[in-house]
């Protein structure tokens, strides 16, 4: 573990890494996504302060054929390929892989700010240094089939080498499938068959047609199929379409690896070319542990550790996730023993080689015992502490230990005050714990009681590794009836303080509070997923939303859910939870759903995001409409979902219950905004598909749907024209009609039909359109324009002609004919 920066040294005293039995089994680098996709307006540029390695070039590689590479990027990529990755870089990948939030360095986990997460977009090239880490730690699978002429990895390479080839990795999550894919593609880069590696997003459609492949040349693409769900499944014809994908890949000398699951592949594999999905053999836990340990510590005594009977029993049969949780524990114990040995050798000379050997053996046994204890959450030791012989632990003592574990790194005075508050909460005391005087045990007594020690800066430290994590898990398992009260207290801990504990005269920094909130969110997520209970996450979301959606805790809650929704181990439950919350008429829960649907989850599982947004919209809560509007704009960028998304918006505009809230705002999101690359063309009319786009992607909204949306939006036009969505929409559409001749007839026809309404509403809508268009011609800060005046006159003439037809029909045929025509039109 890299050393904490000097400006925080001494403040954070506990290193946090979830133990295997306690931790949620997050996917490891063996099931990692290196494509993190925040909303465009949320992207931040952050300095890498905790890693000493050089600049990364993954987003700078030239997309052109390699016969004309950009020199600097090419040289940097070659340097990274020839130099081994730093131990810090390897550790960063490992921690990101397990999704552990170590939350040391005041919340900046090693690698959190690193560029492995590809923050720009879903299709950015995979970083060269990230691939170098994969190359270093990847353990190749073995096959029990002795008749195989070569290894499974070599056979997969043979399938991928020909231009246009496609390989399906048909494995369950957390089985090394993603790392295997990157290792294969990295080998193709090394052989010069491809120049870079890119992930592909599947999109919101059930199909992935050949036309959706990017136009890059000599690339290796990785496509993960979204898991099946009620209401959304990958098309049964996917396998039969791989041949056509191969033809498209071959045109640009590309290769493709597809990740799927066994049950899904059985359904969609019909018609797939032979040898597409190979048996890749089995990856042994010992091999994974060996590669990771030596990559981070070349001198690590692998043979002694992995040959130990206790460690063998631990790792045999472990999943890759479990292995990546165990190896840091081994490294920590080994490094701690090395430091102690170095200190001893500097003070006292060894009497003999035999004594030194005995010390090393004893030290190794102690190290292994500590690792085994951590993996059992120190349950026996914690039981002995909670139930000591000859006495009874007080509630305050137990809560002081629990609070110190939660508030790791906070000043001891703050921990003391919060322990008293937790005691009042859990015991439902009418009178507070008397900690202000000298009745209750003091800080020194409580520190000794929980077997911790105070550092010079006033923080607490436990000597046993991961004792604090285990203490929290012990409480959770030991006191099931106190969980609800504990969760309520836990959710409020980052909120209650103003930055200073006045009684204890302690200051809590903003960064420390954010780190605390991150830890609490991880606790809630771990418990929610493991126990399949919504309450832990609900408590966090509702409390932090009530604190303020514009405050810094709310984005942490959204990011927590968004990250969990795209990682294989937690995704199935979190997807179900989001669907359930979308039905609940709770502003906090529904807003969390909407914001997650605009993040990584929405980009990776767009079809599922649409279903959840539809449920939220049907509830019509006014507090959520603004977020829903933003979600519509974000998802519209995916051309494969536009047809479905536009249909939803039109349905909302036609629903009397929500048309004046959800309908108006979501249609305005598409009608009153322009695509940044299109100048002044409304988002809903902008066509940014390629000439050979698939039918689902080459969507052009039907006039009937546009008319429905415009009628709903024009109902907003009551009162004077000005800075309203309807005004901005009319200005934008008329500007587009003036500047884009191909759109002129569509725009004028849509607007005239939107106000061609029978009954008392017709004159209101026509007057609203006339008034707004007149202000468009000339108004405040809008000088008169002859071109705009002529277009406005043309629109007015069309409206007058429609009105004249209606009046003529009423005079000749009576009102019954008008009612009949309107009924037939409906």
């Amino acid at each position: 573990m890299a050393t904490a920066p000097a400006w925080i040294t001494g403040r954070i005293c506990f290193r946090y890494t979830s133990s295997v039995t306690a931790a949620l089994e997050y996917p490891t680098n063996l099931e990692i996504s290196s494509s993190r996709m925040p909303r465009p307006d949320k992207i931040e540029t952050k300095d890498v302060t905790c890693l000493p390695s050089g600049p990364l070039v993954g987003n700078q590689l030239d997309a052109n054929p390699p016969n004309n590479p950009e020199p600097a990027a090419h040289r940097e990529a070659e340097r990274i390929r020839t130099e081994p990755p730093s131990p810090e870089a390897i550790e960063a990948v490992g921690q990101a892989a397990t999704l552990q939030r170590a939350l040391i360095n005041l919340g900046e986990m090693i690698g959190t700010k690193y560029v492995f997460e590809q923050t720009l977009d879903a299709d950015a090239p995979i970083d060269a240094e990230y691939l170098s880490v994969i190359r270093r730690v990847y353990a190749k699978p073995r096959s029990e089939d002795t008749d195989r002429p070569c290894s499974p990895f070599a056979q997969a390479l043979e399938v991928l080498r020909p231009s246009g080839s496609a390989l399906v990795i048909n494995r369950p999550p957390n089985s090394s499938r993603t790392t295997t894919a990157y290792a294969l593609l990295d080998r193709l880069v090394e052989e010069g068959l491809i120049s870079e590696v890119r992930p592909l997003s599947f999109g919101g459609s059930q199909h992935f047609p050949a036309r959706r492949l990017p136009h890059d040349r000599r690339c290796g693409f990785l496509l993960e199929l979204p898991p099946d769900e009620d209401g959304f499944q990958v098309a049964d014809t996917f396998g039969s379409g791989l041949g056509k994908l191969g033809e498209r890949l071959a045109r640009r000398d590309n290769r493709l690896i597809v990740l799927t699951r066994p049950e899904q592949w059985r359904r969609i594999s019909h018609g797939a070319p032979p040898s597409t999905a190979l048996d890749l053999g089995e990856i042994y836990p010992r091999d994974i542990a060996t590669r990771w340990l030596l990559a981070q510590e070349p001198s690590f005594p692998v043979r002694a550790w992995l040959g130990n009977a206790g460690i063998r029993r631990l790792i045999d049969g472990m999943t890759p996730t479990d292995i990546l949780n165990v190896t840091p524990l081994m490294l920590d114990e080994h490094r701690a023993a090395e430091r102690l040995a170095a200190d001893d050798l500097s003070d006292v000379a060894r009497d003999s080689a035999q004594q030194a050997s005995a010390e090393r053996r004893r030290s190794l046994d102690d190290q292994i015992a500590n690792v085994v204890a951590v993996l059992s959450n120190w349950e026996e030791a914690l039981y002995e502490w909670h139930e000591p012989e000859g006495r009874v632990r007080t509630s305050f003592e137990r809560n002081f230990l629990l609070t110190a574990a939660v508030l790791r790194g906070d000043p001891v005075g703050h921990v003391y005050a919060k322990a008293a508050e937790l005691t009042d909460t859990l015991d439902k005391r009418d009178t507070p714990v008397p900690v202000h005087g000298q009745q209750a045990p003091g800080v020194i007594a409580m520190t000794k009681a929980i077997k911790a020690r105070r550092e010079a800066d006033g923080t607490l430290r436990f000597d046993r590794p991961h004792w604090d994590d285990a203490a929290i898990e012990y409480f959770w398992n030991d006191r099931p009836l106190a969980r609800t009260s504990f969760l309520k207290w836990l959710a409020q801990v980052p909120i209650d303080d103003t930055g200073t504990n006045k009684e204890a005269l302690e200051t809590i920094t903003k960064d420390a509070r954010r780190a605390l909130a991150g830890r609490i969110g991880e606790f809630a997520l771990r418990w929610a997923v493991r126990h399949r209970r919504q309450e832990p996450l609900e408590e966090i979301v509702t409390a932090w939303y009530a604190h303020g959606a514009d405050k810094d805790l709310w984005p942490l809650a959204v990011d927590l859910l968004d990250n969990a929704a795209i990682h294989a181990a937690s995704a199935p439950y979190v997807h179900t939870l989001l669907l359930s919350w979308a039905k609940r008429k709770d502003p906090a829960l529904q807003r969390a759903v909407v914001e997650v649907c605009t993040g990584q989850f929405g980009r990776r599982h767009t079809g599922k995001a649409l279903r959840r947004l539809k449920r939220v919209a049907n509830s019509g809560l006014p507090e959520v409409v603004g977020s829903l509007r933003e979600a519509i704009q974000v998802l519209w960028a995916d051309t494969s979902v536009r047809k479905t998304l536009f249909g939803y918006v039109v349905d909302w505009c036609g629903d009397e219950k929500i048309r004046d809230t959800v309908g108006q705002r979501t249609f305005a999101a598409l009608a009153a905004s322009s695509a940044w690359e299109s100048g002044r063309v409304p988002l809903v009319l902008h066509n940014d598909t390629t000439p050979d786009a698939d039918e689902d992607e080459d969507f052009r909204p039907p006039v009937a749907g546009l008319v429905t949306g415009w009628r709903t939006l024009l109902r907003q036009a009551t009162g004077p024209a000005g800075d309203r969505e309807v005004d901005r929409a009319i200005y934008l559409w008329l500007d587009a009609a003036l500047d884009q001749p191909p759109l002129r007839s569509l725009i004028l026809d849509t607007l005239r039909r939107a106000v061609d309404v029978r009954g008392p509403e017709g004159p209101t809508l026509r007057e609203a359109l006339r008034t707004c268009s007149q202000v468009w011609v000339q108004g405040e800060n809008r000088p008169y324009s002859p071109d705009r005046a002529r277009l406005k006159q043309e629109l007015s003439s069309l409206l007058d002609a429609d009105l004249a037809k209606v009046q003529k029909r009423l005079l000749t045929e009576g009102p019954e004919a008008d009612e009949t025509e309107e009924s037939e039109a409906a």
Side-chain angles (χ1 to χ4, degrees):
M1 176 68 74
T3 304
W7 56 272
I8 56 87
T9 300
R11 294 290 296 168
I12 298 300
C13 299
F14 315 129
R15 181 174 174 212
Y16 173 68
T17 305
S18 302
S19 63
V20 172
T21 53
L24 168 65
E25 292 182 347
Y26 286 118
T28 68
N29 72 320
L30 316 156
E31 191 57 39
I32 223 178
S33 165
S34 62
S35 301
R36 186 172 180 175
M37 298 155 288
R39 295 193 299 270
D41 60 333
K42 299 292 184 183
I43 294 173
E44 296 179 1
T45 302
K46 296 184 178 179
D47 295 330
V48 181
T49 57
C50 55
L51 294 175
S53 55
L56 301 179
V57 296
N59 291 323
Q60 302 170 14
L61 295 180
D62 199 320
N64 294 322
N67 59 2
N68 185 29
E70 196 279 318
H74 180 71
R75 287 195 300 271
E76 182 65 12
E78 286 301 311
R79 181 193 66 77
I80 289 173
R81 292 202 61 78
T82 56
E83 293 184 5
S86 66
E88 292 86 0
I90 295 170
E91 188 170 4
V93 173
Q95 290 187 356
T98 54
L99 239 192
Q100 295 170 352
R101 291 176 183 246
L103 293 165
I104 62 168
N105 301 354
L106 293 181
E108 293 299 343
M109 179 183 77
I110 293 202
T112 297
K113 289 183 177 180
Y114 215 30
V115 196
F116 286 128
E117 296 190 354
Q118 305 287 314
T119 55
L120 292 184
D121 60 72
D123 300 325
I126 299 301
D127 190 87
E129 190 162 358
Y130 172 82
L131 291 176
S132 76
V133 173
I134 295 299
R135 189 183 321 124
R136 181 76 181 273
V137 302
Y138 180 61
K140 293 181 180 178
R142 305 186 201 174
S143 175
E144 301 295 338
D145 185 359
T146 57
D147 295 331
R148 282 194 177 191
C150 56
S151 70
F153 188 85
Q155 287 182 307
L157 269 177
E158 284 301 317
V159 171
L160 282 171
R161 283 190 176 107
S163 178
S165 56
L167 174 71
V168 173
I169 297 182
N170 171 30
R171 285 178 174 273
N174 193 17
S175 61
S176 188
R177 60 179 192 169
T178 307
T179 299
T180 296
Y182 282 138
L184 288 166
L185 293 170
D186 179 67
R187 179 67 68 84
L188 296 182
V189 174
E190 190 173 27
E191 295 179 2
L193 296 175
I194 59 176
S195 59
E196 63 184 19
V197 179
R198 287 177 176 268
L200 293 179
S201 57
F202 187 83
S205 171
Q206 292 181 308
H207 304 274
F208 188 86
R211 295 186 184 91
R212 289 203 63 201
L213 287 170
H215 292 181
D216 303 86
R217 299 185 63 84
R218 300 185 71 229
C219 282
F221 296 116
L222 179 60
L223 173 66
E224 180 179 355
L225 302 187
D228 295 336
E229 179 182 85
D230 289 342
F232 182 85
Q233 290 185 332
V234 175
D236 294 343
T237 57
F238 180 84
S240 60
L242 283 174
K244 196 169 184 180
L245 280 175
E247 295 174 5
R248 182 84 170 191
L249 290 164
R251 293 181 198 172
R252 294 179 173 85
D253 199 14
N254 293 326
R255 281 85 175 160
L256 172 69
I257 295 181
V258 178
L259 302 183
T260 182
R261 305 167 187 234
E263 65 278 7
Q264 187 180 58
W265 183 241
R266 283 193 293 270
R267 181 178 61 80
I268 67 176
S269 61
H270 305 292
S275 301
T276 299
L278 297 176
D279 177 9
L280 290 179
E282 182 181 356
I283 298 181
Y284 286 72
R286 181 180 176 125
D287 293 347
I288 297 172
T290 299
R291 299 285 292 190
W292 275 94
L293 287 168
L294 292 179
Q296 296 178 84
E297 190 78 54
S299 63
F300 188 87
V302 171
R303 188 183 299 275
W305 271 87
L306 300 186
N308 179 274
I311 293 296
R312 285 203 306 270
R313 284 193 299 270
L314 273 177
I315 68 174
D316 285 348
M318 273 188 173
T319 66
T321 301
D322 293 339
I323 293 296
L324 241 75
N325 278 317
V326 172
T327 52
L329 302 177
M330 297 181 186
L331 284 167
D332 285 350
E333 288 299 310
H334 170 70
R335 289 166 177 170
E338 290 286 297
R339 287 193 298 270
L340 288 174
D343 292 342
D344 291 343
L345 285 171
S346 65
D347 296 335
V348 181
R350 298 302 182 190
D351 295 336
S352 66
Q354 182 178 4
Q355 181 182 351
S357 176
E359 288 293 332
R360 284 195 296 271
R361 284 198 301 273
R362 187 165 62 248
S363 176
L364 179 60
D365 291 340
D366 291 342
Q367 295 168 50
I368 291 173
N370 274 345
V371 169
V372 173
V374 170
L375 296 178
S376 65
N377 281 315
W378 292 99
E379 187 167 303
E380 286 301 317
L382 279 166
Y383 170 74
E384 292 175 2
W385 183 88
H386 280 82
E387 309 295 339
E389 291 187 11
R391 60 159 298 190
V392 177
R393 289 284 180 200
T394 66
S395 176
F396 188 44
E397 286 177 322
R398 295 170 187 252
N399 290 326
F400 190 81
L401 171 62
L402 182 59
T403 306
V406 172
L407 302 180
R408 67 195 70 183
D410 278 6
V412 67
H414 180 62
V415 174
Y416 187 75
K418 284 297 179 184
E421 180 185 290
L422 178 59
T423 302
D424 295 339
T425 300
L426 295 185
D427 293 349
K428 297 179 170 58
R429 295 172 58 96
D430 295 328
T431 57
V433 176
V435 292
H436 290 84
Q438 296 202 47
Q439 297 182 48
V443 164
I444 296 175
M446 296 306 301
T447 301
K448 291 183 179 298
I450 65 172
K451 297 185 177 180
R453 55 190 171 88
R454 285 181 300 125
E455 297 291 88
D457 64 350
T459 59
L460 295 177
R461 181 186 181 92
F462 295 115
D463 289 329
R464 286 173 168 173
H466 306 281
W467 178 262
D468 43 356
D469 298 318
I472 298 171
E473 289 296 327
Y474 188 94
F475 166 81
W476 186 261
N477 294 323
D478 190 48
R479 303 288 173 173
L481 299 184
R483 291 173 184 171
T484 300
S485 298
F486 177 64
L487 287 173
K488 290 182 182 298
W489 174 83
L490 202 61
Q492 293 294 328
V493 167
I495 298 174
D496 287 344
D497 298 308
T498 59
T500 302
N501 188 305
K502 295 180 180 178
E503 291 82 3
L505 301 179
E506 304 281 11
T507 299
I508 313 299
T509 68
K510 183 178 180 180
D511 286 338
R513 196 164 309 288
R514 285 175 57 85
L516 173 62
R519 288 197 301 272
I520 287 171
E522 290 294 340
F523 298 152
L525 175 63
R526 188 172 70 218
W527 294 328
V529 174
R530 187 191 311 147
H531 299 290
R532 293 299 189 264
R533 300 292 300 181
Q534 298 183 16
E535 291 85 355
L537 286 173
E538 278 186 25
E539 201 66 55
I540 297 295
V541 168
T542 53
W544 294 359
Y545 178 79
H547 178 56
D550 57 340
K551 304 291 181 62
D552 56 353
L553 292 183
W554 178 249
L556 291 178
V558 174
D559 286 345
L560 177 76
L561 291 168
D562 195 21
N563 286 327
I566 65 168
H567 283 79
S570 53
Y573 178 70
V574 174
H575 291 186
T576 302
L577 176 140
L578 293 174
L579 190 61
S580 172
W581 284 3
K583 304 174 187 176
R584 302 260 301 272
K585 290 194 173 183
D586 184 310
L589 302 182
Q590 288 201 349
R591 179 155 178 178
V593 171
V594 173
E595 294 199 24
V596 169
C597 287
T598 65
Q600 302 172 86
F601 170 71
R603 290 171 171 82
R604 184 169 301 185
H605 302 290
T606 315
K608 292 186 174 186
L610 284 175
R611 292 188 64 217
R612 286 150 182 76
L613 289 178
K614 183 179 182 182
R615 291 181 182 273
V616 170
N618 289 340
S619 298
L621 293 182
E623 301 93 330
V624 187
V625 172
S627 298
L628 192 61
R629 184 186 190 280
E630 181 181 353
I632 296 297
Q633 290 179 321
V634 170
L635 293 181
W636 189 261
D638 186 339
T639 56
S640 68
V641 304
R642 289 179 182 175
K643 183 176 181 180
T644 301
L645 185 57
F646 185 75
Y648 287 170
V649 171
V650 171
D651 288 344
W652 300 333
C653 288
D655 187 332
E656 291 187 4
K657 295 180 180 179
I658 60 173
R659 69 182 183 186
D660 294 331
T661 53
V662 174
Q664 279 185 2
R665 298 298 304 281
T666 55
F667 182 74
L670 301 177
S673 302
S674 59
W676 65 270
E677 73 274 20
S678 69
R680 292 188 293 179
V681 176
L683 198 60
V684 73
L685 299 182
H686 177 56
N687 181 23
D688 55 357
T689 55
T690 58
D692 56 354
D694 183 73
E695 180 181 352
D696 286 343
E697 295 179 298
D698 190 19
F699 170 69
R700 288 170 173 75
V703 174
L706 294 173
V707 167
T708 300
W710 263 108
R711 283 181 183 167
T712 301
L713 187 55
L714 282 166
R715 291 189 182 97
Q716 189 187 74
T718 57
D723 187 20
R724 301 170 301 186
E725 286 179 317
V726 64
D727 303 309
R728 293 194 294 274
I730 288 177
Y731 300 166
L732 181 61
W733 281 56
L734 293 179
D735 283 338
L738 202 61
D739 298 340
Q740 306 286 335
L743 294 177
R744 188 183 186 106
S745 61
L746 171 64
I747 290 173
L748 295 181
D749 187 47
T750 298
L751 293 176
R752 71 184 291 192
R753 289 177 58 179
V755 299
D756 189 15
V757 179
R758 311 295 177 260
E761 191 177 33
T764 303
L765 295 179
R766 277 191 294 272
E767 184 60 29
L769 179 57
R770 290 181 191 274
T771 301
C772 291
S773 59
Q774 181 57 48
V775 176
W776 172 72
V777 173
Q778 183 178 14
E780 186 177 358
N781 299 322
R782 296 181 67 85
Y784 175 80
S785 166
D787 290 337
R788 289 201 295 266
R790 283 190 290 270
L791 182 63
K792 191 266 179 183
Q793 183 57 44
E794 182 179 351
L795 175 61
S796 296
S797 298
L798 294 173
L799 300 184
D800 292 340
D802 292 337
L803 185 59
K805 290 178 184 177
V806 172
Q807 292 173 341
K808 181 177 179 180
R809 188 165 55 251
L810 289 174
L811 289 173
T812 57
E813 302 179 24
E816 295 80 4
D818 188 54
E819 293 173 2
T820 301
E821 181 181 344
E822 187 172 358
S823 176
E824 291 175 351

